[in-house]
Amino acid sequence: MVVIMNRIYDTDVIVIGAGAGGAIVAKELAEKGAKVIVLEAGPWYGNAKWPNPNSEHGAVSSSDYEDLSIDLLKKSFTDLEEDMNDQVTGKFRWGPANRNLPPWTRKGGVVWQNAGVGGTTLHYFANSPHAIPQSMDGIWPISYEELVPYYERVEAQLPVHLAPVSPKEELFYYGAKKAGWQYLNNPDVSVPGYRQGINAILEVNPRINDPDFDLQNNNTVGCTLRGHCVNGCHIGPTVEAVAKRSTLVSYIPRALATGNAEIRPNAFVIKVLTEEAEEGIHAIGVVYKDTWTGESFELYAKVIVMAGGGIETPRLWLNSGLPENPWVGKGLTNHWFDTVAGIFEEKVLMDILGVSDIKPYTGQNSAARLDIPGIGTMITMGMSPGIYASLNYVTSAKGYASLNTPDPQAAWDVEGIVSGEQLKDFMREYKRTLSILLFVDDEVNQRNEVGIDPNLRDEYGYIPVIRYQPSESDTVKRDQLATYAAELLRAAGARTIIRANWNPELFIHIMSTMRMGYVVDVNCEAYQVKRLYIADNSVLTNGIGGPNPTLTTQALAARTADKIWDQYFQAET
Amino acid sequence: MQSSYVQTTLQAFADAIIPRTPRLAEEYGRIQYYGAIDLQIDQFLIYELEHYPVPMALPTAELLNVAATAWLISQGYFGRGSLATLAPLDRLKAVTMLKQQQVELTALPIIFQMDPELIIRITDALNNYTIIGYYSEWSGYGTTKLLPPQERVMEFIPISWKQVEYPGPSLGYRVLRPYRFDLTNIVLAAQGMQV
């Protein structure tokens, strides 16, 4: 314990949330010499202190790299999609470690987030592109160039690589070229075009195509193209060498290795504590609850970093009674996803690829992309059949396809929720189906927000309420993007094209609810509460033009760690 | 144990989404016949709904049957409807009435009257749960499938995986392609210049 200004501090820095952003801040500050405690609401998989993370409380915290256990990780990550990703009971749900308890409630939509050390990077595809420069320059309070060194730092640490090509990516590139898109080979994308995916997955094992390479007893480093990114990757000889670079296996082990970081899972922060002093209101600590016992604890630190994600961070601000600000929780962007899938004949695939199917459950879940600045992004998507069918065929605002009259002008053949014999017929052709996931560059609008319900509470405070209504311009862009995707699939030779047309109440890229320039300053410190920083998707000033936001949030988090150190700790050393 | 009322209703829903398909079986092999009824997806729906933040199986079944009644009335019939007695396509039409807010709110279970948005959430969730239950590993848990998640064990390969030719989890695939990008027309994106 350290006593400064007559206060007893438990640590230098408290980080709320061990996800994409929190883990980066923790590691960067611990490496500089700050003592850091990370409070994470969900479980910790692959740690000897929690041998049965979903059925027993286990220890309070771990601060020892030696606690990491690849055997336990492999035991928890079963590769079974319902076990891992079921939204109600899955290991990657938004809910407590104890799977016999219900998930945590949000109102306003379905949110696909993970609680746990690693946060939503536990199931993310690991796509790691930069922001579109023109979506930042002149709009954000900092320039794209300002962020580039931090992108490079995080890219080296994770690390980030160009993604490998398996049949589904090759088919996508073939279609993109045929449809007239240009190939891009630069990370700074300012013109439309297709390019190799760029992701935080270790390079493919060099022996992967060798028939003598023993996949069953493989204990070497490298991705094996097995298609379980979303269901939890555990391929590697140690936790830190696991192929898909969730922060669980990248930044968290590095943070522990410094000897300065302690991570407490099962710890849900319910309040940020502040104090009024000469420097104004400043953060001094937090209250958190143990998700197994319900007990409350207080912790004090010199700096508090909120990194609970685009929903929980504004919720925590509001539940803590922090100062009013017209932009807290406001300006939500969500990329308003959609999918367009194409079914191919065997002969067509044979002619293009020399094989009669693409098996979307093989290869990395998402490894090819096409960005169209000003409109949005498309990426390939393939995985196990339950999630695949769910995202492509039953997630729709358009009602049941069998009740819809097809629009003869549309670039697709079927639109809406596919059901009945047609669904089974399409899924029968799962092996020959290429799916494209679309992200719209949706506008910031103050009416789109995360607030709290005035009446409904759970044990962690008033529950979050999400309100999101895309603008007319967002709708136009999305229809355009879906048309481009359908044209790409048609150019590649798809026989049947299905557009899902997702409802806007499905939240995956939850961004810009605590925007830089509005709620936080250029250093990501809250304007109204000193010593309180934010390091998650909520500080993005907008939806960065459409690309996957994680790397941008991580680059910003690395930068924020530098700023925190310079502002509050440099002088002490 | 859930009442047969709940089970019959949710089975009718799941069956409308993933029916038995004799025509596909005739054309592509017997395995294509089986549907949600055979994999007991109604039990998955009940499990999921009962583990929602508040138990929802009974109110959801009531919701679906109120929708069935509304559908019948809209077609000029009278009396109390049930989803299970409607033809599959009509079941979907009834559910669509819920989503389009064409069903009198006061006729619904109280939990939906208090939170009308929940009607949309639950009907979307039913579509999604049906699919996840059917195409995921869940039916393969066999005799353990209704136990708490930590106690389940895989007993066999689900019929649905055979239908879609999914081989199940794998430790790797030898599918790396020696693909070369066409570099004759590279665009240096930052400058938008051809080289």
Side-chain angles (χ1 to χ4, degrees), chain A residues 82-83 86 99 108 165 170 177 182 190 208-210 213 224 226 353 390 400 420-421 424 428 431, chain B residues 17 19 21 23 28 34 48 117 127-128 137 150 152 165 170-171 173-174 176-177 182 187 189:
Chain A
E82 195 275 334
D83 186 41
D86 187 288
R99 295 170 83 188
V165 181
E170 186 163 338
K177 194 177 167 194
Q182 56 200 348
S190 57
I208 189 68
N209 284 357
D210 177 352
F213 176 43
T224 57
R226 69 196 195 100
L353 304 170
S390 164
Y400 295 102
E421 185 180 282
K424 288 175 74 181
R428 196 180 53 76
K431 285 204 301 184
Chain B
I17 302 293
T21 44
R23 198 191 64 79
Y28 303 107
Y34 304 101
E48 295 284 280
E117 195 195 78
N127 291 318
N128 193 51
E137 82 280 7
Q150 294 302 105
R152 303 176 305 187
E165 297 179 69
S170 165
L171 289 169
Y173 290 108
R174 306 178 202 278
L176 186 64
R177 307 279 294 185
D182 179 0
V187 170

Side-chain angles (χ1 to χ4, degrees), chain A residues 182-392:
Chain A
Q182 56 200 348
Y183 170 66
L184 309 176
N185 72 337
N186 190 299
D188 311 311
V189 168
S190 57
V191 295
Y194 71 99
R195 54 186 168 135
Q196 205 165 352
I198 177 157
N199 60 29
I201 299 178
L202 297 183
E203 286 184 291
V204 173
N205 194 303
R207 292 189 62 202
I208 189 68
N209 284 357
D210 177 352
D212 294 330
F213 176 43
D214 181 1
L215 288 163
Q216 297 310 311
N217 299 299
N218 167 33
N219 201 26
T220 57
V221 175
C223 172
T224 57
L225 300 175
R226 69 196 195 100
H228 290 298
C229 313
V230 77
N231 294 324
C233 181
H234 56 72
I235 294 299
T238 64
V239 169
E240 200 180 359
V242 162
K244 194 196 81 172
R245 311 300 292 158
S246 69
T247 55
L248 174 72
V249 306
S250 55
Y251 275 83
I252 291 293
R254 280 298 95 203
L256 294 175
T258 65
N260 288 328
E262 174 190 336
I263 294 148
R264 299 187 190 182
N266 309 311
F268 201 124
V269 175
I270 57 171
K271 190 168 189 193
V272 173
L273 301 170
T274 58
E275 196 173 73
E276 187 107 38
E278 263 179 46
E279 61 177 348
I281 298 175
H282 61 273
I284 54 166
V286 301
V287 180
Y288 74 90
K289 272 190 173 182
D290 182 310
T291 63
W292 287 91
T293 65
E295 271 182 283
S296 292
F297 300 90
E298 288 184 9
L299 274 182
Y300 293 89
K302 296 172 210 165
V303 169
I304 312 294
V305 182
M306 301 167 94
I311 296 171
E312 291 302 318
T313 293
R315 177 201 190 190
L316 181 57
W317 180 289
L318 295 166
N319 276 332
S320 299
L322 297 180
E324 283 187 26
N325 175 316
W327 282 96
V328 164
K330 308 290 176 80
L332 167 70
T333 53
N334 176 45
H335 287 165
W336 190 20
F337 288 32
D338 200 354
T339 57
V340 180
I343 299 175
F344 291 76
E345 297 285 355
E346 283 183 20
K347 186 183 176 313
V348 172
L349 296 176
M350 192 58 100
D351 289 347
I352 298 168
L353 304 170
V355 290
S356 61
D357 54 44
I358 59 164
K359 297 187 177 72
Y361 51 87
T362 68
Q364 295 174 349
N365 286 163
S366 178
R369 61 187 304 117
L370 193 158
D371 296 279
I372 309 170
I375 295 186
T377 289
M378 50 178 106
I379 61 173
T380 52
M381 175 175 74
M383 74 277 275
S384 45
I387 302 175
Y388 196 75
S390 164
L391 298 183
N392 284 301

